């Protein structure tokens, strides 16, 4: 059974840092991509950062230079280091993973972890 376990959200002040972690319990599947999305109240869910199996990383323009995604293949874990957090980064952050079994590719989501940036 596939599970995505997230940790690391919390309340911080502007300019501070947080690190989110996501561990994928992948069963028989192989992991194509692990990424983080976020959704603020009233907004659509948006990609924050993702990392593919071949090491390609993608970032939203709003977080480039401030957030870093890292992936540990041995532990099936991805971390999102968030620095210089801004009010606009406040959202529920969701881990997403694209898993493959043969030719079938499926996407899975974690339950989300709240990040609040407030003074």
């Amino acid at each position: 059974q596939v599970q995505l376990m997230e940790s690391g959200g919390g309340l911080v002040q502007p300019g501070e840092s947080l690190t989110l972690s996501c561990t994928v319990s992948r069963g028989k599947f192989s992991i194509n991509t692990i990424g983080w999305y976020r959704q603020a109240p009233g907004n659509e869910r948006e990609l924050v950062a993702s990392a593919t199996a071949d090491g390609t990383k993608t970032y939203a323009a709003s977080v480039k230079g401030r957030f870093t995604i890292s992936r540990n293949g041995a532990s099936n874990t991805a971390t999102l280091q968030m620095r210089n957090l801004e009010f606009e980064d406040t959202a529920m952050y969701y881990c997403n993973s694209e898993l493959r079994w043969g030719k079938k590719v499926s996407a899975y989501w974690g339950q989300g972890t709240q990040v609040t940036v407030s003074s």
Side-chain angles (χ1 to χ4, degrees):
Q1 182 178 357
V2 175
Q3 280 189 314
L4 276 63
M5 293 163 283
E6 302 145 326
S7 63
L11 171 64
V12 296
Q13 294 186 342
E16 293 186 338
S17 301
L18 269 179
T19 298
L20 307 182
S21 293
C22 175
T23 298
V24 180
S25 177
R26 60 181 177 87
K28 63 183 180 180
F29 295 91
S30 59
I31 301 174
N32 278 0
T33 304
I34 302 180
W36 288 93
Y37 287 70
R38 67 186 180 188
Q39 187 169 19
N43 291 354
E44 294 187 354
R45 193 170 294 190
E46 62 176 359
L47 173 69
V48 177
S50 66
T52 64
D54 66 2
T56 301
K57 299 179 181 179
T58 301
Y59 295 95
S62 60
V63 307
K64 209 171 276 188
R66 299 189 297 120
F67 292 11
T68 302
I69 188 168
S70 301
R71 181 170 163 174
N72 184 324
S75 62
N76 299 321
T77 298
T79 59
L80 183 68
Q81 293 180 306
M82 305 184 293
R83 295 179 293 273
N84 193 21
L85 283 158
E86 303 171 352
F87 293 120
E88 293 75 18
D89 296 316
T90 295
M92 184 71 77
Y93 284 68
Y94 297 91
C95 182
N96 168 272
S97 186
E98 186 179 275
L99 303 180
R100 176 184 297 276
W101 173 250
K103 293 182 180 180
K104 182 178 179 181
V105 177
S106 302
Y108 294 84
W109 293 91
Q111 292 187 332
T113 185
Q114 179 68 37
V115 172
T116 302
V117 184
S118 175
S119 57

